Amino acid sequence: MSRFEGVKVSDRALQNQFMPIEFRNLKTKFVSVKNKDGKVKVGDLPPLMVKLKALSSAFTEDKIKQKLGESYDDMSNEIDFETFLREYLNLQGQAKEKSGGQKNSSSVLKTSSATTLVESEKATYVRHINIYLADDPFLKQFLPMDPASNDLFNLAKDGVLLCKLINVAVSGTIDERAINTKKVLNLWERNENHTLALNSAKAIGCTVVNIGTQDLVEGRPTLLLGLISQIIKIQLLADLNLKKTPQLVEVLDDGNGDIEELMALAPEKVLLKWMNFHLKKGGYEKTVTNFSSDVKDAKAYAFLLNVLAPEYCNPLTLDTKDATERAKLVLDHAERMGCKRYLSPEDIVEGWTNLNLAFVAQIFHERNGLSVDSKKISFAERITDDVQLSRDERCFRLWMNSLGVENYVNNVFEDVRNGWVLLEVLDKVAPGSVNWKQATKPPIKFPFRKVENCNQVVMIGEMLKFSIVNLGGNDIVQGNKKLIIAFLWQLMRYNMLQLLKSLRSRSRGKDITDSYIINWANRKIKSTGRSRQIESFKDKSISSGLFFLELLSAVEPRVVNWNLVTKGESDEEKKLNATYIISVARKIGCSIFLLPEDIMEVNQKMMLTLTASIMYWCLQNSPEECETSNGYSSTYASDASSPAPSVNGEDESSSLCSEVPSLTIDDAAPDVTVSSSQFENGESTTVE
């Protein structure tokens, strides 16, 4: 079996710009243009790069050649893989600026070079932070920030602000005991905070592809504001669903609408539907379709606020002919009804999408104007998912979005029904597996086109040797939840095992199975002098959390503060340990989407993904780690006699596993077989 040897990336910041699967794909393409001497020249890149999806729509081959010529006098110069990656990122950034940024529903901030937009958004987010984090025990010493200064970029450099803001958006996402909050942090501690923030941001639904820890350490304005805007958006739109606000059923055209259709809408679309519902009641004749051009004259806002809070109505608002003055009166009205003022009249008149969306979301949060009709609410409340299905849906939704798919997934069971987003995921996980010429991109008018897309999904699943007994394309189109979840579990597991296989040179040809991963974890812990072991991912002892804390301490001795660890005996102690485990794992670099309850209840699937993620991180970041023919021998054996130091300790002598290794990548995909019954029973999967 052929291999690509020596994928060396010495710059950690550069590595963080890519997902492992993207690394593999780019490496494959780079190797494909090597000449007979095994070298790649600058002149070989234009025909290669013009075929890359991120560049093809923005540049011609001649244009790429011209761009590269600005940096290289001689196109016959040899170029290495790392330099190729840098040139790719440079062109990708130019392509995004050229196209005005991707229109991704997950992004509040659209990348723009306009200074006025950056300054407006910075000022708005600073005011938001000043309000919601004013009482934070650690940050209050730095607040309030001046919206007109660069305080935001400076304060964000140590990572604490982002971690705290994520917890404001989705409470409890980060165990704050895992945040490094000393007054002066060293470079490693800052990097830990930013790694924790990025992985936690993914875990609440942010898209962080192409954002690395170095970008945050340096406080790069556009990238930092883009991330902050996503976090704030998630906070403000959190209640825009039937589960949190069952009264939203009222916006369905007097109850005649389709509730499933409403459930499938992105939060922004629900917000527009809610807004138009009230505008119609108030006599506004237009339909608002966006948060930019349709609201920049502020008339829609005036009608909306008059419906929601008529007691604060000012007749001058609609009489004035000046849009800026009308916007000022609208903001005065909103403030009187309880909305915090952190938007300017100019922001409304300029039609800044992100800021107007935030303003409408704030109005909804303060006063949604929906009835408390018990019959309607009762009907909406009955539409609830099975708890485990709901938890699985959340996990797979976040995982799919973390891959950087173009179509943001808001509801797995609804969004996969046309097959397109599943094809996107398959193309990320198994590059080249999708025949895009036979796929139909949304919006899809004809139902049979959706079936065609889903049939291709099933066909690719068969090619990857998934067990898809009783699964047909029509099952996905019809939204069969259990079959969709079973397929996604196989897909996620395939991706996970494929990543481990990329480091397979260390396994000496052994199959990668559940028992293989368990054996690695047990030996890793044993090498530190501890005796805690598990027999399977169903082992009830896992619920205490101590096994994973010992494993994390084994792979990175300094990361667990044992003064914070409980015995894990009561439910409360188990919850504390489980929450801490998740944050510590994300802090070292694991991209995981489980909940504390998954550890407490020993959810076998999630225990496998957590252990495999830790294993992958350790092997990837410990080039000195090796295996004997009988199993693993630990590089941390010398630490066995000493306890793990405090996470905030000053001891810098412990191994930080900070070097980026040489990755060995197979060009063949692993064979994975998991049946729907195996999904239910949690049986093991083998990579042949």
Side-chain angles (χ1 to χ4, degrees):
M1 185 178 292
S2 61
R3 281 187 169 87
F4 298 130
E5 300 292 347
V7 184
K8 299 178 186 292
V9 181
S10 59
D11 186 345
R12 192 178 185 86
L14 178 61
Q15 182 193 23
N16 287 334
Q17 302 297 310
F18 300 92
M19 298 184 62
I21 195 69
E22 291 176 296
F23 246 64
R24 174 190 169 116
N25 197 18
L26 288 171
K27 179 61 180 178
T28 301
K29 294 182 183 300
F30 182 78
V31 170
S32 70
V33 296
K34 282 187 176 182
N35 60 26
K36 60 182 180 180
D37 297 324
K39 297 179 180 180
V40 177
K41 298 179 181 179
V42 177
D44 297 325
L45 297 186
L48 163 66
M49 298 177 92
V50 77
K51 297 177 183 178
L52 299 177
K53 192 174 182 181
L55 307 180
S56 59
S57 61
F59 300 110
T60 63
E61 184 176 331
D62 288 340
K63 190 66 176 178
I64 293 175
K65 185 176 182 179
Q66 177 186 336
K67 293 278 186 183
L68 292 173
E70 295 172 2
S71 303
Y72 302 93
D73 294 331
D74 188 352
M75 297 295 282
S76 64
N77 285 347
E78 183 182 355
I79 191 168
D80 60 21
F81 180 55
E82 186 169 333
T83 307
F84 162 69
L85 291 177
R86 294 184 186 283
E87 295 297 346
Y88 170 73
L89 285 175
N90 180 41
L91 288 172
Q92 187 183 54
Q94 294 180 45
K96 286 185 177 180
E97 288 181 8
K98 190 174 180 180
S99 64
Q102 290 184 341
K103 296 182 179 179
N104 191 312
S105 64
S106 71
S107 301
V108 177
L109 183 76
K110 294 179 180 177
T111 304
S112 173
S113 60
T115 303
T116 51
L117 175 56
V118 170
E119 288 300 313
S120 293
E121 296 202 333
K122 181 188 71 174
T124 297
Y125 302 150
V126 165
R127 295 186 188 105
H128 181 95
I129 291 167
N130 285 341
I131 292 168
Y132 285 95
L133 287 171
D135 298 325
D136 182 82
F138 179 77
L139 291 177
K140 65 182 180 182
Q141 61 184 311
F142 306 108
L143 302 178
M145 293 181 286
D146 179 3
S149 72
N150 285 326
D151 288 352
L152 173 61
F153 305 127
N154 294 327
L155 184 56
K157 287 182 178 180
D158 67 5
V160 177
L161 175 64
L162 287 174
C163 290
K164 299 278 188 176
L165 195 59
I166 286 169
N167 271 354
V168 169
V170 182
S171 179
T173 299
I174 296 175
D175 187 332
E176 298 202 2
R177 298 175 299 170
I179 305 173
N180 298 321
T181 55
K182 293 189 306 183
K183 199 150 191 176
V184 179
L185 300 178
N186 60 41
L187 183 60
W188 179 259
E189 289 165 334
R190 284 187 174 191
N191 188 70
E192 282 184 330
N193 280 349
H194 286 305
T195 302
L196 173 59
L198 286 174
N199 282 316
S200 299
K202 285 194 287 186
I204 66 171
C206 295
T207 300
V208 299
V209 176
N210 294 331
I211 302 178
T213 56
Q214 192 62 29
D215 299 316
L216 302 180
V217 169
E218 295 174 3
R220 295 182 183 177
T222 303
L223 293 175
L224 182 61
L225 289 177
L227 180 57
I228 289 175
S229 65
Q230 290 187 69
I231 296 169
I232 291 175
K233 173 185 172 183
I234 286 169
Q235 174 195 344
L236 294 177
L237 299 183
D239 294 336
L240 266 297
N241 58 75
L242 286 175
K243 185 173 289 187
K244 293 284 187 68
T245 312
Q247 298 95 328
L248 278 168
V249 72
E250 187 177 352
V251 307
L252 292 173
D253 301 326
D254 297 324
N256 294 323
D258 186 346
I259 282 193
E260 287 191 357
E261 183 180 333
L262 180 63
M263 292 174 65
L265 289 178
E268 303 95 314
K269 299 295 185 182
V270 176
L271 191 62
L272 281 173
K273 199 169 185 68
W274 166 82
M275 185 178 183
N276 284 311
F277 169 75
H278 285 302
L279 289 176
K280 185 177 180 180
K281 289 201 302 185
Y284 191 66
E285 296 180 354
K286 298 180 181 178
T287 298
V288 175
T289 61
N290 58 65
F291 294 107
S292 181
S293 59
D294 287 0
V295 296
K296 63 193 305 182
D297 62 4
K299 289 182 180 179
Y301 288 149
F303 275 87
L304 177 65
L305 293 174
N306 286 347
V307 171
L308 296 175
E311 66 272 25
Y312 301 122
C313 176
N314 185 339
L316 295 176
T317 305
L318 286 172
D319 292 340
T320 184
K321 294 184 179 180
D322 182 73
T324 303
E325 179 62 25
R326 186 182 304 114
K328 180 180 180 301
L329 293 172
V330 161
L331 291 173
D332 290 340
H333 190 162
E335 190 171 28
R336 287 195 295 273
M337 64 178 272
C339 295
K340 301 287 192 303
R341 183 190 285 260
Y342 52 77
L343 198 68
S344 71
E346 291 73 22
D347 294 332
I348 293 177
V349 174
E350 290 291 339
W352 301 138
T353 301
N354 312 316
L355 304 186
N356 279 286
L357 183 151
F359 178 52
V360 178
Q362 192 185 32
I363 294 172
F364 175 88
H365 181 74
E366 191 62 37
R367 189 178 297 193
N368 62 40
L370 300 174
S371 72
V372 290
D373 187 321
S374 59
K375 291 183 179 179
K376 291 181 178 179
I377 294 176
S378 176
F379 180 63
E381 287 178 337
R382 287 200 301 271
I383 304 179
T384 57
D385 285 328
D386 170 86
V387 174
Q388 189 56 54
L389 267 179
S390 180
R391 197 182 293 174
D392 287 337
E393 187 277 336
R394 170 196 169 277
C395 173
F396 294 127
R397 168 168 37 89
L398 295 171
W399 170 68
M400 291 164 75
N401 287 327
S402 76
L403 297 175
V405 292
E406 291 185 12
N407 290 272
Y408 191 82
V409 181
N410 292 289
N411 182 310
V412 168
F413 300 130
E414 296 299 325
D415 294 351
V416 302
R417 292 175 66 174
N418 60 27
W420 182 264
V421 74
L422 286 176
L423 291 173
E424 282 193 85
V425 173
L426 283 162
D427 194 49
K428 293 282 185 182
V429 172
S433 62
V434 178
N435 185 343
W436 292 110
K437 293 181 179 180
Q438 294 182 4
T440 304
K441 188 173 184 177
I444 302 176
K445 183 177 180 180
F446 302 107
F448 75 90
R449 295 295 185 191
K450 297 180 182 180
V451 176
E452 286 179 346
N453 281 354
C454 292
N455 282 340
Q456 186 177 176
V457 168
V458 174
M459 182 185 70
I460 296 171
E462 290 177 333
M463 182 185 72
L464 298 177
K465 298 190 177 179
F466 292 175
S467 178
I468 51 176
V469 178
N470 298 325
L471 174 67
N474 202 46
D475 294 310
I476 299 175
V477 173
Q478 292 177 357
N480 187 311
K481 294 181 179 180
K482 287 192 174 182
L483 291 178
I484 289 171
I485 288 294
F487 182 85
L488 285 173
W489 167 240
Q490 293 182 75
L491 186 55
M492 183 178 184
R493 191 167 189 163
Y494 171 88
N495 183 47
M496 174 184 62
L497 295 175
Q498 187 181 47
L499 293 178
L500 285 175
K501 185 181 178 183
S502 71
L503 304 172
R504 195 176 181 182
S505 62
R506 297 180 173 88
S507 71
R508 294 182 179 269
K510 296 179 183 177
D511 291 339
I512 300 176
T513 63
D514 288 11
S515 59
Y516 181 88
I517 296 171
I518 290 170
N519 186 53
W520 172 85
N522 284 336
R523 289 181 177 275
K524 198 69 185 167
I525 291 174
K526 189 175 181 180
S527 70
T528 66
R530 296 186 173 94
S531 59
R532 198 175 303 277
Q533 306 279 277
I534 62 171
E535 295 181 358
S536 73
F537 290 120
K538 293 185 287 187
D539 196 315
K540 294 300 181 185
S541 67
I542 291 175
S543 66
S544 71
L546 297 176
F547 174 80
F548 283 116
L549 287 166
E550 291 185 2
L551 178 59
L552 287 163
S553 181
V555 301
E556 181 51 272
R558 71 187 297 277
V559 78
V560 176
N561 183 345
W562 289 97
N563 295 322
L564 302 176
V565 176
T566 73
K567 293 181 179 180
E569 294 175 348
S570 67
D571 286 345
E572 182 180 355
E573 288 181 342
K574 290 178 180 179
K575 181 74 174 285
L576 285 169
N577 283 352
T579 305
Y580 188 50
I581 287 165
I582 293 171
S583 290
V584 169
R586 288 175 179 154
K587 184 176 180 176
I588 66 171
C590 297
S591 182
I592 50 177
F593 307 101
L594 73 166
L595 295 170
E597 290 77 12
D598 290 318
I599 298 175
M600 296 170 65
E601 297 169 10
V602 193
N603 181 327
Q604 186 181 0
K605 300 188 298 295
M606 295 300 105
M607 297 308 93
L608 169 60
T609 59
L610 175 57
T611 311
S613 295
I614 297 171
M615 179 182 180
Y616 178 74
W617 180 87
C618 181
L619 296 179
Q620 187 184 38
N621 289 276
S622 302
E624 72 278 13
E625 173 117 357
C626 62
E627 302 159 3
T628 66
S629 58
N630 295 322
Y632 290 87
S633 63
S634 175
T635 59
Y636 301 108
S638 59
D639 297 322
S641 60
S642 60
S646 167
V647 71
N648 286 330
E650 300 298 331
D651 181 10
E652 296 298 324
S653 62
S654 59
S655 172
L656 302 183
C657 297
S658 59
E659 296 180 45
V660 180
S662 168
L663 302 182
T664 300
I665 301 181
D666 278 346
D667 62 347
D671 298 333
V672 181
T673 304
V674 183
S675 68
S676 58
S677 62
Q678 285 176 320
F679 168 78
E680 298 291 343
N681 299 325
E683 294 176 18
S684 64
T685 297
T686 301
V687 178
E688 303 293 348

